[in-house]
């Protein structure tokens, strides 16, 4: 298994520590892991297609159209994509292809850090089997989410009485899987700090998610034609 972890962006999310946590998970599973703090790794489209897994840890920041297309084409051909919190679904806010591929974009965390909320498993799936509902004290992510996602876990809003509370209760996805072409995509909104995901059920969810996403390469054969008409943005 060959994996790429690239980290950077807003330092408040401890991207270096989260990247190291991910590296440890993948190395323990026997993966050959490259870790970089540069987005230049997305410039080599052929190298990306040779990977089993791409793990972005980049809150905010900017990604070029060409780099996003290179990642998209690699994932469409079977390379997995997995990540957490702002490092994947608050990355590259101006890049709509990235948002489409990952399945959501962050819009708010009412109450900020330190909100106590429950994460509930909602899908009978290999990635959640045996994991019980659990409480988290962290940021509670409100996301604009693709309805095509296969949601594995949710949290209930509103927890904090803010402007959104006037809309009444909603179940907000916390973790999901999806497909992008022949590639597997996994996302988990936990991980504001590395300490939130370094142990317990949150860690186990992410460990399974990373390995699941990396396991899709063997399913993908020779893939062509993913750059169909209408891919302009």
């Amino acid at each position: 298994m060959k994996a790429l972890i690239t980290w950077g962006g807003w330092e408040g999310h401890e991207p270096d520590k989260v990247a190291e946590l991910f590296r440890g998970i993948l190395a323990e599973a026997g993966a050959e892991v490259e870790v970089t703090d540069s987005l230049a790794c997305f410039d080599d489209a052929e190298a990306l297609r040779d990977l089993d897994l791409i793990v972005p840890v980049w809150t905010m920041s900017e990604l070029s159209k060409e780099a996003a297309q290179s990642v998209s084409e690699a994932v469409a051909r079977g390379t997995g994509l997995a990540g957490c919190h702002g490092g994947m679904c608050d990355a590259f806010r101006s890049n709509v292809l990235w948002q489409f591929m990952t399945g959501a974009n962050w819009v708010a965390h009412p109450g900020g850090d330190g909100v106590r909320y429950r994460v509930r498993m909602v899908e009978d799936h290999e990635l959640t089997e045996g994991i019980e509902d659990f409480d988290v004290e962290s940021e509670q992510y409100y996301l604009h989410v693709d309805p095509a996602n296969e949601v594995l876990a949710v949290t209930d809003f509103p927890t904090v009485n803010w402007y959104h509370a006037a809309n009444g209760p909603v179940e907000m996805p916390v973790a999901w899987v999806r497909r992008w072409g022949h590639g597997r995509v996994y996302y988990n909104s936990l991980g504001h700090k590395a300490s939130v995901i370094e142990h317990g059920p949150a860690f186990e969810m992410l460990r399974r998610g990373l390995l699941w996403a990396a396991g899709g390469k063997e399913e993908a054969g020779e893939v062509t034609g993913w750059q169909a008409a209408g891919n302009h943005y």
Side-chain angles (χ1 to χ4, degrees):
M1 183 198 313
K2 295 176 65 176
L4 169 68
I5 300 171
T6 176
W7 65 270
W10 187 59
E11 295 181 358
H13 278 162
E14 302 179 340
D16 53 341
K17 294 181 180 179
V18 173
E20 175 58 24
L21 179 67
F22 290 157
R23 187 205 64 77
I25 290 172
L26 294 169
E28 186 174 345
E32 175 188 336
V33 187
E34 177 186 352
V35 181
T36 177
D37 62 355
S38 170
L39 288 171
C41 58
F42 288 165
D43 293 338
D44 189 339
E46 291 300 322
L48 293 178
R49 294 176 189 179
D50 191 44
L51 295 169
D52 295 285
L53 181 66
I54 297 169
V55 184
V57 191
W58 280 88
T59 302
M60 295 182 278
S61 308
E62 295 290 333
L63 187 68
S64 71
K65 175 180 178 180
E66 293 75 19
Q69 288 177 331
S70 292
V71 177
S72 171
E73 291 302 306
V75 176
R77 287 164 170 77
T79 298
L81 180 68
C84 75
H85 201 64
M88 182 159 144
C89 281
D90 188 24
F92 321 129
R93 292 177 179 177
S94 64
N95 195 297
V96 293
L97 177 59
W98 184 267
Q99 294 170 12
F100 197 4
M101 178 171 56
T102 58
N105 61 289
W106 169 86
V107 292
H109 42 66
D113 195 11
V115 173
R116 189 167 185 83
Y117 61 96
R118 174 143 285 222
V119 176
R120 295 189 289 108
M121 306 301 122
V122 295
E123 177 73 10
D124 183 14
H125 194 281
E126 63 184 290
L127 298 187
T128 56
E129 183 178 0
I131 299 178
E132 302 294 332
D133 299 350
F134 61 98
D135 291 328
V136 176
E137 190 168 325
S138 183
E139 290 180 342
Q140 187 183 29
Y141 259 22
Y142 202 105
L143 300 129
H144 285 175
V145 180
D146 189 332
N149 295 341
E150 182 181 357
V151 177
L152 306 176
V154 300
T155 186
D156 296 313
F157 278 88
T159 301
V160 174
N161 187 26
W162 197 48
Y163 304 136
H164 66 300
N167 296 309
V170 295
E171 289 185 346
M172 181 59 58
V174 169
W176 61 78
V177 293
R178 61 186 278 112
R179 299 287 180 154
W180 188 254
H182 283 255
R184 296 180 178 182
V185 179
Y186 174 86
Y187 175 74
N188 192 311
S189 70
L190 303 176
H192 176 59
K193 302 287 186 182
S195 60
V196 176
I197 54 173
E198 67 183 3
H199 55 80
F203 173 87
E204 180 61 15
M205 288 175 72
L206 276 162
R207 186 191 71 81
R208 295 182 190 183
L210 290 170
L211 299 181
W212 176 86
K217 194 66 176 286
E218 292 183 2
E219 296 178 355
E222 186 66 24
V223 183
T224 59
W226 290 115
Q227 285 188 337
N231 266 10
H232 307 292
Y233 69 100

